[in-house]
Amino acid sequence: MANVIVVAGAGVSGLTSALLLSRSKANKVTVVAKHMPGDYDIEYASPWAGANVLPMASEENSRWERRTWPELKRLTEEVPEAGIHFQKARVYRRVKDAEAPGYHLSDYLFSTDPWYKSVLPDFRELSKDEVIPGHDSGCEFTSVCINTVVYLSWLVGQCLKNGVVFKRVVLTDIREAKSLSHTGQPANIIVNATALGSLKLGGVEDTTMTPARAQIVLVRNEYHPMIATSGTDDSATEITYIMQRAAGGGTILGGTYDIGNWESAPDPNIALRIMKRAVEAAPGLTGGKGIEGLSVIRHGVGLRPWRKDGVRIEEEVLDESTSIVHNYGHAGWGYQGSYGCAERVVELVNEIRKRKGEDLSGEGK
Ligand code: FAD
């Protein structure tokens, strides 16, 4: 029996969900979205991302990131056309950031005894002389950096290979997705991966969604290792990170993590501070020439889909024939949690299919 699925959203969450679902031949998958890979838009977070793996979850919420790492590592090793490369990451901590009131969301990345030390390879504490000035301690591990342009397009290609059909649609209500399958049949499962769109989308209207604004500068300069620091003296909403994307994707200098700020235009003052902090943390970025040595490709702003109570991955029964499986609210970790979350989407879909009496035992991948 065909299982008719419409995935709403074509960011990394929707595409990874569609890819894993399309591995079952019984699933007929259509992806509908306002924005697709190739677009740059303030309503579409995925192209703006770095994107690397710097774990942010607490140990108890670490499932999504833990389960994603092995697949990103495999793609890096075995699938060069996915556009991912290994990079060392260095994380620098300041005691005053850990003690600051309202100290923000990636706290667990800066833990002095992080859960991820047994997951990401080559973890070690840095010696005092390896820590950059103004910081108290740090650690290093092997991570990856994804060229988002290449990777999102690769995901689309993998979906097409499995028979997924893509359609440009602007939904005003999630229930409209029910009639949008390319099969012509009503969908019995709708996957909602509309991220920040879920705030206003009829039938969802999740008012706990808000942006965590990310301003970045993309430069041609090359630099490794990747860097992230626990805080800055410029503002509680400003952070410092550097990551060089794979396959000529440029180097991302960040940034900001500003919850509730919808501003889509880059702020020139923030941009200046981002560039100054980057060359201070990594003088080698410009061979010691300061910010004048940066070759800017573009200034950008992306809105991370932040949700007050964290990601929402659950079933909601729409009517007796159709369920919605939600997968949205990934804030700043949508790539590094993408496979773990999509795997849960598949589990929920399979639970629905079993409840409806389908026999999944003989199903090939
Ligand atoms: P989106 O990419 O926003 O996709 C939403 C989709 O839903 C789009 O296709 C959109 O068109 C569609 N949609 C929404 N509403 C509607 C509607 N009404 N009708 C039809 N379609 C609709 N994550 C990491 O893991 N590592 C990083 O290093 C990292 N760095 C980042 C750096 C920056 C600068 C930014 C901005 C983000 C970063 N992130 C990172 C976070 C990551 O980008 C997001 O978590 C992720 O992209 C969210 O993906 P998504 O598919 O859920 O949402």
Side-chain angles (χ1 to χ4, degrees), residues 40-49 196 210-217 241 256-258 261-266 299-305 331:
Y40 278 94
D41 195 283
I42 195 66
E43 293 175 13
Y44 188 29
S46 292
W48 298 106
L196 207 46
T210 196
R213 182 180 184 274
Q215 180 166 334
I216 52 100
V217 185
Y241 59 86
T256 60
Y257 201 109
D258 196 359
N261 185 341
W262 289 89
E263 179 55 60
S264 60
H299 294 270
V301 175
L303 299 181
R304 304 176 185 93

PDB file of all heavy atoms in Angstrom, residues 40-49 196 210-217 241 256-258 261-266 299-305 331:
ATOM      1  N   TYR A  40      18.407  32.700  -1.874  1.00  0.00           N
ATOM      2  CA  TYR A  40      18.870  33.355  -0.642  1.00  0.00           C
ATOM      3  C   TYR A  40      17.747  34.263  -0.192  1.00  0.00           C
ATOM      4  O   TYR A  40      17.367  35.178  -0.921  1.00  0.00           O
ATOM      5  CB  TYR A  40      20.137  34.178  -0.883  1.00  0.00           C
ATOM      6  CG  TYR A  40      21.381  33.328  -0.871  1.00  0.00           C
ATOM      7  CD1 TYR A  40      21.897  32.815  -2.054  1.00  0.00           C
ATOM      8  CD2 TYR A  40      22.016  33.026   0.325  1.00  0.00           C
ATOM      9  CE1 TYR A  40      23.022  32.010  -2.044  1.00  0.00           C
ATOM     10  CE2 TYR A  40      23.140  32.219   0.351  1.00  0.00           C
ATOM     11  CZ  TYR A  40      23.641  31.721  -0.834  1.00  0.00           C
ATOM     12  OH  TYR A  40      24.751  30.921  -0.817  1.00  0.00           O
ATOM     13  N   ASP A  41      17.194  34.002   0.983  1.00  0.00           N
ATOM     14  CA  ASP A  41      16.058  34.788   1.435  1.00  0.00           C
ATOM     15  C   ASP A  41      16.075  34.807   2.959  1.00  0.00           C
ATOM     16  O   ASP A  41      16.511  33.844   3.589  1.00  0.00           O
ATOM     17  CB  ASP A  41      14.758  34.135   0.933  1.00  0.00           C
ATOM     18  CG  ASP A  41      13.571  35.072   1.051  1.00  0.00           C
ATOM     19  OD1 ASP A  41      13.054  35.240   2.183  1.00  0.00           O
ATOM     20  OD2 ASP A  41      13.157  35.631   0.021  1.00  0.00           O
ATOM     21  N   ILE A  42      15.578  35.886   3.517  1.00  0.00           N
ATOM     22  CA  ILE A  42      15.566  36.000   4.980  1.00  0.00           C
ATOM     23  C   ILE A  42      14.619  34.963   5.612  1.00  0.00           C
ATOM     24  O   ILE A  42      14.754  34.625   6.783  1.00  0.00           O
ATOM     25  CB  ILE A  42      15.226  37.460   5.404  1.00  0.00           C
ATOM     26  CG1 ILE A  42      15.578  37.695   6.875  1.00  0.00           C
ATOM     27  CG2 ILE A  42      13.777  37.810   5.111  1.00  0.00           C
ATOM     28  CD1 ILE A  42      17.037  37.623   7.204  1.00  0.00           C
ATOM     29  N   GLU A  43      13.684  34.422   4.824  1.00  0.00           N
ATOM     30  CA  GLU A  43      12.766  33.407   5.364  1.00  0.00           C
ATOM     31  C   GLU A  43      13.320  31.987   5.220  1.00  0.00           C
ATOM     32  O   GLU A  43      12.596  31.013   5.435  1.00  0.00           O
ATOM     33  CB  GLU A  43      11.416  33.473   4.626  1.00  0.00           C
ATOM     34  CG  GLU A  43      10.647  34.736   4.888  1.00  0.00           C
ATOM     35  CD  GLU A  43       9.370  34.804   4.049  1.00  0.00           C
ATOM     36  OE1 GLU A  43       8.965  33.782   3.453  1.00  0.00           O
ATOM     37  OE2 GLU A  43       8.795  35.889   3.987  1.00  0.00           O
ATOM     38  N   TYR A  44      14.579  31.875   4.814  1.00  0.00           N
ATOM     39  CA  TYR A  44      15.151  30.554   4.496  1.00  0.00           C
ATOM     40  C   TYR A  44      16.525  30.478   5.156  1.00  0.00           C
ATOM     41  O   TYR A  44      17.511  31.032   4.636  1.00  0.00           O
ATOM     42  CB  TYR A  44      15.254  30.470   2.971  1.00  0.00           C
ATOM     43  CG  TYR A  44      15.627  29.144   2.363  1.00  0.00           C
ATOM     44  CD1 TYR A  44      15.325  27.937   2.975  1.00  0.00           C
ATOM     45  CD2 TYR A  44      16.268  29.109   1.120  1.00  0.00           C
ATOM     46  CE1 TYR A  44      15.660  26.730   2.371  1.00  0.00           C
ATOM     47  CE2 TYR A  44      16.597  27.911   0.502  1.00  0.00           C
ATOM     48  CZ  TYR A  44      16.284  26.727   1.136  1.00  0.00           C
ATOM     49  OH  TYR A  44      16.615  25.533   0.530  1.00  0.00           O
ATOM     50  N   ALA A  45      16.622  29.791   6.309  1.00  0.00           N
ATOM     51  CA  ALA A  45      17.861  29.814   7.106  1.00  0.00           C
ATOM     52  C   ALA A  45      18.991  28.992   6.484  1.00  0.00           C
ATOM     53  O   ALA A  45      20.170  29.362   6.568  1.00  0.00           O
ATOM     54  CB  ALA A  45      17.567  29.288   8.522  1.00  0.00           C
ATOM     55  N   SER A  46      18.643  27.860   5.888  1.00  0.00           N
ATOM     56  CA  SER A  46      19.670  26.861   5.570  1.00  0.00           C
ATOM     57  C   SER A  46      20.846  27.349   4.716  1.00  0.00           C
ATOM     58  O   SER A  46      21.983  26.982   5.008  1.00  0.00           O
ATOM     59  CB  SER A  46      19.011  25.635   4.933  1.00  0.00           C
ATOM     60  OG  SER A  46      18.216  24.978   5.892  1.00  0.00           O
ATOM     61  N   PRO A  47      20.636  28.139   3.658  1.00  0.00           N
ATOM     62  CA  PRO A  47      21.807  28.520   2.851  1.00  0.00           C
ATOM     63  C   PRO A  47      22.800  29.398   3.600  1.00  0.00           C
ATOM     64  O   PRO A  47      23.975  29.443   3.251  1.00  0.00           O
ATOM     65  CB  PRO A  47      21.197  29.313   1.681  1.00  0.00           C
ATOM     66  CG  PRO A  47      19.739  29.134   1.758  1.00  0.00           C
ATOM     67  CD  PRO A  47      19.387  28.702   3.122  1.00  0.00           C
ATOM     68  N   TRP A  48      22.333  30.115   4.629  1.00  0.00           N
ATOM     69  CA  TRP A  48      23.208  31.071   5.324  1.00  0.00           C
ATOM     70  C   TRP A  48      24.148  30.393   6.310  1.00  0.00           C
ATOM     71  O   TRP A  48      25.131  30.991   6.751  1.00  0.00           O
ATOM     72  CB  TRP A  48      22.364  32.101   6.097  1.00  0.00           C
ATOM     73  CG  TRP A  48      21.498  32.925   5.209  1.00  0.00           C
ATOM     74  CD1 TRP A  48      20.144  32.809   5.066  1.00  0.00           C
ATOM     75  CD2 TRP A  48      21.905  33.979   4.337  1.00  0.00           C
ATOM     76  NE1 TRP A  48      19.689  33.724   4.157  1.00  0.00           N
ATOM     77  CE2 TRP A  48      20.755  34.461   3.691  1.00  0.00           C
ATOM     78  CE3 TRP A  48      23.147  34.564   4.033  1.00  0.00           C
ATOM     79  CZ2 TRP A  48      20.795  35.502   2.770  1.00  0.00           C
ATOM     80  CZ3 TRP A  48      23.191  35.597   3.119  1.00  0.00           C
ATOM     81  CH2 TRP A  48      22.022  36.050   2.496  1.00  0.00           C
ATOM     82  N   ALA A  49      23.827  29.173   6.691  1.00  0.00           N
ATOM     83  CA  ALA A  49      24.582  28.515   7.767  1.00  0.00           C
ATOM     84  C   ALA A  49      26.038  28.315   7.401  1.00  0.00           C
ATOM     85  O   ALA A  49      26.399  28.298   6.223  1.00  0.00           O
ATOM     86  CB  ALA A  49      23.943  27.173   8.096  1.00  0.00           C
ATOM     87  N   LEU A 196      10.842  28.696  10.865  1.00  0.00           N
ATOM     88  CA  LEU A 196      10.258  29.941  11.377  1.00  0.00           C
ATOM     89  C   LEU A 196       8.883  30.214  10.760  1.00  0.00           C
ATOM     90  O   LEU A 196       8.062  30.928  11.339  1.00  0.00           O
ATOM     91  CB  LEU A 196      11.239  31.087  11.076  1.00  0.00           C
ATOM     92  CG  LEU A 196      11.241  32.303  11.974  1.00  0.00           C
ATOM     93  CD1 LEU A 196      11.217  31.955  13.447  1.00  0.00           C
ATOM     94  CD2 LEU A 196      12.444  33.169  11.633  1.00  0.00           C
ATOM     95  N   THR A 210      10.564  32.191  17.315  1.00  0.00           N
ATOM     96  CA  THR A 210      11.094  33.540  17.072  1.00  0.00           C
ATOM     97  C   THR A 210      12.495  33.382  16.470  1.00  0.00           C
ATOM     98  O   THR A 210      13.108  32.320  16.628  1.00  0.00           O
ATOM     99  CB  THR A 210      11.107  34.358  18.399  1.00  0.00           C
ATOM    100  OG1 THR A 210      11.271  35.741  18.104  1.00  0.00           O
ATOM    101  CG2 THR A 210      12.215  33.922  19.325  1.00  0.00           C
ATOM    102  N   PRO A 211      12.995  34.393  15.774  1.00  0.00           N
ATOM    103  CA  PRO A 211      14.333  34.210  15.200  1.00  0.00           C
ATOM    104  C   PRO A 211      15.452  34.395  16.213  1.00  0.00           C
ATOM    105  O   PRO A 211      15.301  35.158  17.167  1.00  0.00           O
ATOM    106  CB  PRO A 211      14.414  35.317  14.145  1.00  0.00           C
ATOM    107  CG  PRO A 211      13.437  36.346  14.578  1.00  0.00           C
ATOM    108  CD  PRO A 211      12.363  35.646  15.360  1.00  0.00           C
ATOM    109  N   ALA A 212      16.551  33.697  16.010  1.00  0.00           N
ATOM    110  CA  ALA A 212      17.819  34.033  16.665  1.00  0.00           C
ATOM    111  C   ALA A 212      18.687  34.561  15.520  1.00  0.00           C
ATOM    112  O   ALA A 212      19.241  33.792  14.721  1.00  0.00           O
ATOM    113  CB  ALA A 212      18.445  32.823  17.328  1.00  0.00           C
ATOM    114  N   ARG A 213      18.717  35.898  15.431  1.00  0.00           N
ATOM    115  CA  ARG A 213      19.344  36.541  14.260  1.00  0.00           C
ATOM    116  C   ARG A 213      20.841  36.267  14.203  1.00  0.00           C
ATOM    117  O   ARG A 213      21.539  36.361  15.215  1.00  0.00           O
ATOM    118  CB  ARG A 213      19.096  38.050  14.321  1.00  0.00           C
ATOM    119  CG  ARG A 213      19.642  38.832  13.140  1.00  0.00           C
ATOM    120  CD  ARG A 213      19.326  40.315  13.323  1.00  0.00           C
ATOM    121  NE  ARG A 213      19.747  41.104  12.182  1.00  0.00           N
ATOM    122  CZ  ARG A 213      20.975  41.603  12.029  1.00  0.00           C
ATOM    123  NH1 ARG A 213      21.904  41.376  12.939  1.00  0.00           N
ATOM    124  NH2 ARG A 213      21.275  42.312  10.957  1.00  0.00           N
ATOM    125  N   ALA A 214      21.299  35.931  12.981  1.00  0.00           N
ATOM    126  CA  ALA A 214      22.714  35.620  12.764  1.00  0.00           C
ATOM    127  C   ALA A 214      23.255  36.522  11.676  1.00  0.00           C
ATOM    128  O   ALA A 214      22.854  36.409  10.516  1.00  0.00           O
ATOM    129  CB  ALA A 214      22.860  34.160  12.334  1.00  0.00           C
ATOM    130  N   GLN A 215      24.140  37.442  12.042  1.00  0.00           N
ATOM    131  CA  GLN A 215      24.817  38.252  11.014  1.00  0.00           C
ATOM    132  C   GLN A 215      26.205  37.666  10.778  1.00  0.00           C
ATOM    133  O   GLN A 215      26.916  37.335  11.732  1.00  0.00           O
ATOM    134  CB  GLN A 215      24.916  39.710  11.460  1.00  0.00           C
ATOM    135  CG  GLN A 215      25.608  40.571  10.412  1.00  0.00           C
ATOM    136  CD  GLN A 215      25.436  42.061  10.633  1.00  0.00           C
ATOM    137  OE1 GLN A 215      24.455  42.510  11.245  1.00  0.00           O
ATOM    138  NE2 GLN A 215      26.385  42.841  10.129  1.00  0.00           N
ATOM    139  N   ILE A 216      26.565  37.549   9.513  1.00  0.00           N
ATOM    140  CA  ILE A 216      27.869  36.963   9.173  1.00  0.00           C
ATOM    141  C   ILE A 216      28.573  37.774   8.076  1.00  0.00           C
ATOM    142  O   ILE A 216      27.951  38.588   7.385  1.00  0.00           O
ATOM    143  CB  ILE A 216      27.744  35.497   8.686  1.00  0.00           C
ATOM    144  CG1 ILE A 216      26.716  35.351   7.544  1.00  0.00           C
ATOM    145  CG2 ILE A 216      27.365  34.561   9.811  1.00  0.00           C
ATOM    146  CD1 ILE A 216      27.262  35.264   6.193  1.00  0.00           C
ATOM    147  N   VAL A 217      29.872  37.515   7.942  1.00  0.00           N
ATOM    148  CA  VAL A 217      30.633  38.046   6.806  1.00  0.00           C
ATOM    149  C   VAL A 217      31.275  36.837   6.131  1.00  0.00           C
ATOM    150  O   VAL A 217      31.921  36.023   6.796  1.00  0.00           O
ATOM    151  CB  VAL A 217      31.735  39.026   7.278  1.00  0.00           C
ATOM    152  CG1 VAL A 217      32.441  39.655   6.079  1.00  0.00           C
ATOM    153  CG2 VAL A 217      31.165  40.107   8.199  1.00  0.00           C
ATOM    154  N   TYR A 241      33.045  33.426  15.724  1.00  0.00           N
ATOM    155  CA  TYR A 241      33.393  32.123  15.162  1.00  0.00           C
ATOM    156  C   TYR A 241      33.938  32.280  13.749  1.00  0.00           C
ATOM    157  O   TYR A 241      33.652  33.256  13.053  1.00  0.00           O
ATOM    158  CB  TYR A 241      32.239  31.115  15.227  1.00  0.00           C
ATOM    159  CG  TYR A 241      30.963  31.511  14.509  1.00  0.00           C
ATOM    160  CD1 TYR A 241      30.784  31.258  13.152  1.00  0.00           C
ATOM    161  CD2 TYR A 241      29.925  32.129  15.195  1.00  0.00           C
ATOM    162  CE1 TYR A 241      29.610  31.599  12.508  1.00  0.00           C
ATOM    163  CE2 TYR A 241      28.742  32.476  14.553  1.00  0.00           C
ATOM    164  CZ  TYR A 241      28.596  32.209  13.211  1.00  0.00           C
ATOM    165  OH  TYR A 241      27.434  32.569  12.574  1.00  0.00           O
ATOM    166  N   THR A 256      26.424  36.903  15.380  1.00  0.00           N
ATOM    167  CA  THR A 256      25.479  37.323  16.420  1.00  0.00           C
ATOM    168  C   THR A 256      24.524  36.173  16.732  1.00  0.00           C
ATOM    169  O   THR A 256      24.337  35.268  15.892  1.00  0.00           O
ATOM    170  CB  THR A 256      24.634  38.535  15.966  1.00  0.00           C
ATOM    171  OG1 THR A 256      23.898  38.170  14.798  1.00  0.00           O
ATOM    172  CG2 THR A 256      25.498  39.739  15.650  1.00  0.00           C
ATOM    173  N   TYR A 257      23.945  36.191  17.898  1.00  0.00           N
ATOM    174  CA  TYR A 257      22.886  35.244  18.296  1.00  0.00           C
ATOM    175  C   TYR A 257      21.880  36.089  19.058  1.00  0.00           C
ATOM    176  O   TYR A 257      21.929  36.217  20.274  1.00  0.00           O
ATOM    177  CB  TYR A 257      23.464  34.132  19.174  1.00  0.00           C
ATOM    178  CG  TYR A 257      22.602  32.886  19.215  1.00  0.00           C
ATOM    179  CD1 TYR A 257      22.995  31.719  18.579  1.00  0.00           C
ATOM    180  CD2 TYR A 257      21.364  32.883  19.871  1.00  0.00           C
ATOM    181  CE1 TYR A 257      22.200  30.580  18.591  1.00  0.00           C
ATOM    182  CE2 TYR A 257      20.574  31.756  19.882  1.00  0.00           C
ATOM    183  CZ  TYR A 257      20.998  30.605  19.253  1.00  0.00           C
ATOM    184  OH  TYR A 257      20.200  29.471  19.262  1.00  0.00           O
ATOM    185  N   ASP A 258      20.981  36.709  18.294  1.00  0.00           N
ATOM    186  CA  ASP A 258      20.139  37.762  18.842  1.00  0.00           C
ATOM    187  C   ASP A 258      18.679  37.324  18.776  1.00  0.00           C
ATOM    188  O   ASP A 258      18.019  37.433  17.736  1.00  0.00           O
ATOM    189  CB  ASP A 258      20.388  39.047  18.011  1.00  0.00           C
ATOM    190  CG  ASP A 258      19.868  40.278  18.715  1.00  0.00           C
ATOM    191  OD1 ASP A 258      19.304  40.138  19.816  1.00  0.00           O
ATOM    192  OD2 ASP A 258      20.033  41.380  18.155  1.00  0.00           O
ATOM    193  N   ASN A 261      15.165  39.273  17.236  1.00  0.00           N
ATOM    194  CA  ASN A 261      15.512  40.352  16.293  1.00  0.00           C
ATOM    195  C   ASN A 261      15.252  39.880  14.856  1.00  0.00           C
ATOM    196  O   ASN A 261      15.878  38.939  14.381  1.00  0.00           O
ATOM    197  CB  ASN A 261      16.993  40.721  16.486  1.00  0.00           C
ATOM    198  CG  ASN A 261      17.414  41.923  15.640  1.00  0.00           C
ATOM    199  OD1 ASN A 261      16.748  42.272  14.665  1.00  0.00           O
ATOM    200  ND2 ASN A 261      18.513  42.535  16.010  1.00  0.00           N
ATOM    201  N   TRP A 262      14.334  40.569  14.163  1.00  0.00           N
ATOM    202  CA  TRP A 262      13.933  40.184  12.799  1.00  0.00           C
ATOM    203  C   TRP A 262      14.679  40.962  11.715  1.00  0.00           C
ATOM    204  O   TRP A 262      14.387  40.797  10.526  1.00  0.00           O
ATOM    205  CB  TRP A 262      12.425  40.450  12.610  1.00  0.00           C
ATOM    206  CG  TRP A 262      11.525  39.524  13.351  1.00  0.00           C
ATOM    207  CD1 TRP A 262      11.063  39.674  14.619  1.00  0.00           C
ATOM    208  CD2 TRP A 262      10.958  38.296  12.865  1.00  0.00           C
ATOM    209  NE1 TRP A 262      10.246  38.618  14.961  1.00  0.00           N
ATOM    210  CE2 TRP A 262      10.157  37.766  13.898  1.00  0.00           C
ATOM    211  CE3 TRP A 262      11.052  37.596  11.654  1.00  0.00           C
ATOM    212  CZ2 TRP A 262       9.454  36.557  13.759  1.00  0.00           C
ATOM    213  CZ3 TRP A 262      10.344  36.403  11.516  1.00  0.00           C
ATOM    214  CH2 TRP A 262       9.563  35.901  12.559  1.00  0.00           C
ATOM    215  N   GLU A 263      15.595  41.838  12.065  1.00  0.00           N
ATOM    216  CA  GLU A 263      16.215  42.729  11.074  1.00  0.00           C
ATOM    217  C   GLU A 263      16.955  41.926   9.999  1.00  0.00           C
ATOM    218  O   GLU A 263      17.873  41.164  10.296  1.00  0.00           O
ATOM    219  CB  GLU A 263      17.172  43.695  11.788  1.00  0.00           C
ATOM    220  CG  GLU A 263      17.891  44.656  10.857  1.00  0.00           C
ATOM    221  CD  GLU A 263      16.948  45.460   9.984  1.00  0.00           C
ATOM    222  OE1 GLU A 263      16.112  46.199  10.530  1.00  0.00           O
ATOM    223  OE2 GLU A 263      17.037  45.330   8.736  1.00  0.00           O
ATOM    224  N   SER A 264      16.577  42.143   8.741  1.00  0.00           N
ATOM    225  CA  SER A 264      17.173  41.357   7.647  1.00  0.00           C
ATOM    226  C   SER A 264      18.407  42.022   7.035  1.00  0.00           C
ATOM    227  O   SER A 264      19.191  41.369   6.349  1.00  0.00           O
ATOM    228  CB  SER A 264      16.130  41.107   6.552  1.00  0.00           C
ATOM    229  OG  SER A 264      15.688  42.345   6.040  1.00  0.00           O
ATOM    230  N   ALA A 265      18.585  43.339   7.288  1.00  0.00           N
ATOM    231  CA  ALA A 265      19.737  44.033   6.674  1.00  0.00           C
ATOM    232  C   ALA A 265      20.960  43.911   7.579  1.00  0.00           C
ATOM    233  O   ALA A 265      20.854  44.094   8.803  1.00  0.00           O
ATOM    234  CB  ALA A 265      19.391  45.503   6.465  1.00  0.00           C
ATOM    235  N   PRO A 266      22.139  43.634   6.992  1.00  0.00           N
ATOM    236  CA  PRO A 266      23.355  43.603   7.810  1.00  0.00           C
ATOM    237  C   PRO A 266      23.609  44.979   8.428  1.00  0.00           C
ATOM    238  O   PRO A 266      23.445  46.004   7.762  1.00  0.00           O
ATOM    239  CB  PRO A 266      24.458  43.247   6.808  1.00  0.00           C
ATOM    240  CG  PRO A 266      23.762  42.686   5.609  1.00  0.00           C
ATOM    241  CD  PRO A 266      22.399  43.313   5.571  1.00  0.00           C
ATOM    242  N   HIS A 299      28.169  40.266   2.848  1.00  0.00           N
ATOM    243  CA  HIS A 299      27.646  40.361   4.216  1.00  0.00           C
ATOM    244  C   HIS A 299      26.269  39.715   4.196  1.00  0.00           C
ATOM    245  O   HIS A 299      25.546  39.853   3.206  1.00  0.00           O
ATOM    246  CB  HIS A 299      27.527  41.827   4.653  1.00  0.00           C
ATOM    247  CG  HIS A 299      28.859  42.503   4.758  1.00  0.00           C
ATOM    248  ND1 HIS A 299      29.591  42.509   5.919  1.00  0.00           N
ATOM    249  CD2 HIS A 299      29.602  43.163   3.839  1.00  0.00           C
ATOM    250  CE1 HIS A 299      30.729  43.150   5.721  1.00  0.00           C
ATOM    251  NE2 HIS A 299      30.764  43.560   4.457  1.00  0.00           N
ATOM    252  N   GLY A 300      25.914  39.016   5.261  1.00  0.00           N
ATOM    253  CA  GLY A 300      24.630  38.335   5.224  1.00  0.00           C
ATOM    254  C   GLY A 300      23.964  38.263   6.586  1.00  0.00           C
ATOM    255  O   GLY A 300      24.608  38.440   7.630  1.00  0.00           O
ATOM    256  N   VAL A 301      22.656  38.025   6.530  1.00  0.00           N
ATOM    257  CA  VAL A 301      21.883  37.787   7.757  1.00  0.00           C
ATOM    258  C   VAL A 301      20.980  36.587   7.524  1.00  0.00           C
ATOM    259  O   VAL A 301      20.294  36.503   6.502  1.00  0.00           O
ATOM    260  CB  VAL A 301      20.987  39.009   8.104  1.00  0.00           C
ATOM    261  CG1 VAL A 301      20.091  38.683   9.308  1.00  0.00           C
ATOM    262  CG2 VAL A 301      21.832  40.232   8.390  1.00  0.00           C
ATOM    263  N   GLY A 302      20.999  35.671   8.462  1.00  0.00           N
ATOM    264  CA  GLY A 302      20.058  34.548   8.435  1.00  0.00           C
ATOM    265  C   GLY A 302      19.323  34.524   9.766  1.00  0.00           C
ATOM    266  O   GLY A 302      19.846  34.987  10.780  1.00  0.00           O
ATOM    267  N   LEU A 303      18.104  34.014   9.747  1.00  0.00           N
ATOM    268  CA  LEU A 303      17.332  33.936  10.992  1.00  0.00           C
ATOM    269  C   LEU A 303      17.224  32.474  11.412  1.00  0.00           C
ATOM    270  O   LEU A 303      16.543  31.675  10.757  1.00  0.00           O
ATOM    271  CB  LEU A 303      15.941  34.544  10.796  1.00  0.00           C
ATOM    272  CG  LEU A 303      15.913  36.032  10.395  1.00  0.00           C
ATOM    273  CD1 LEU A 303      14.468  36.517  10.247  1.00  0.00           C
ATOM    274  CD2 LEU A 303      16.675  36.910  11.376  1.00  0.00           C
ATOM    275  N   ARG A 304      17.917  32.126  12.502  1.00  0.00           N
ATOM    276  CA  ARG A 304      17.835  30.737  12.996  1.00  0.00           C
ATOM    277  C   ARG A 304      16.438  30.505  13.574  1.00  0.00           C
ATOM    278  O   ARG A 304      15.942  31.341  14.349  1.00  0.00           O
ATOM    279  CB  ARG A 304      18.869  30.493  14.087  1.00  0.00           C
ATOM    280  CG  ARG A 304      20.318  30.782  13.703  1.00  0.00           C
ATOM    281  CD  ARG A 304      21.200  30.572  14.933  1.00  0.00           C
ATOM    282  NE  ARG A 304      22.590  30.912  14.742  1.00  0.00           N
ATOM    283  CZ  ARG A 304      23.128  32.113  15.014  1.00  0.00           C
ATOM    284  NH1 ARG A 304      22.367  33.093  15.459  1.00  0.00           N
ATOM    285  NH2 ARG A 304      24.419  32.320  14.856  1.00  0.00           N
ATOM    286  N   PRO A 305      15.822  29.372  13.257  1.00  0.00           N
ATOM    287  CA  PRO A 305      14.452  29.126  13.757  1.00  0.00           C
ATOM    288  C   PRO A 305      14.467  28.653  15.211  1.00  0.00           C
ATOM    289  O   PRO A 305      14.514  27.459  15.498  1.00  0.00           O
ATOM    290  CB  PRO A 305      13.935  28.032  12.810  1.00  0.00           C
ATOM    291  CG  PRO A 305      15.173  27.333  12.317  1.00  0.00           C
ATOM    292  CD  PRO A 305      16.299  28.316  12.347  1.00  0.00           C
ATOM    293  N   ALA A 331      16.856  25.993  15.720  1.00  0.00           N
ATOM    294  CA  ALA A 331      17.734  27.108  16.107  1.00  0.00           C
ATOM    295  C   ALA A 331      19.074  27.025  15.366  1.00  0.00           C
ATOM    296  O   ALA A 331      19.090  26.962  14.136  1.00  0.00           O
ATOM    297  CB  ALA A 331      17.920  27.117  17.623  1.00  0.00           C
TER     298      ALA A 331
END
